[in-house]
Structures are given as C-alpha cells and as structure tokens.
Amino acid sequence: MANLLVLISRLFLGVVFLVTGLNGYFVIFGFEPFIATSPDAMALFEFQYLLIVEKTIEVIC
C-alpha cells in the first residue's frame, strides 16, 4: 500500500513539473499561457536566461 502511495505521489509531482515547465515555455515564446503565471516568475523576465534555465530544469525533473 505504501509503495502505491509513493508511486502515485511521484507521478503526480512529475506531471505538475511537466505542466508548469511547458507553461513557462508558452510565456517565453510569447503565446498566451494556459495557467496563470505567478508574479515571481514574471519578475524573472528581467533576466530572460534565468527563466529559460528554471523552466528547462522543471521539464527535466
């Protein structure tokens, strides 16, 4: 039972990272994001490369 809970939690966290990472790429490329982007993430637009690195790490994770 505990193994199943760990597996479900791991899959859920992976899906969350994938969706938020892809949403960041939509913002970077100028498309309308499908989930509202936080103001803290929007502050990273001042340094474009930081947002790209952050979203790439999210997708990889």
Side-chain angles (χ1 to χ4, degrees):
M1 183 67 180
N3 289 337
L4 181 63
L5 184 61
V6 170
L7 178 65
I8 291 171
S9 299
R10 190 178 295 172
L11 288 173
F12 179 72
L13 187 60
V15 168
V16 168
F17 277 158
L18 180 65
V19 169
T20 58
L22 292 176
N23 188 49
Y25 281 119
F26 280 116
V27 172
I28 291 168
F29 294 133
F31 298 119
E32 190 66 31
F34 48 89
I35 299 173
T37 306
S38 71
D40 294 333
M42 294 302 284
L44 289 177
F45 275 123
E46 190 174 313
F47 308 103
Q48 181 85 24
Y49 66 93
L50 286 177
L51 186 63
I52 293 171
V53 170
E54 178 201 357
K55 295 305 176 181
T56 302
I57 291 173
E58 282 184 19
V59 170
I60 291 171
C61 288

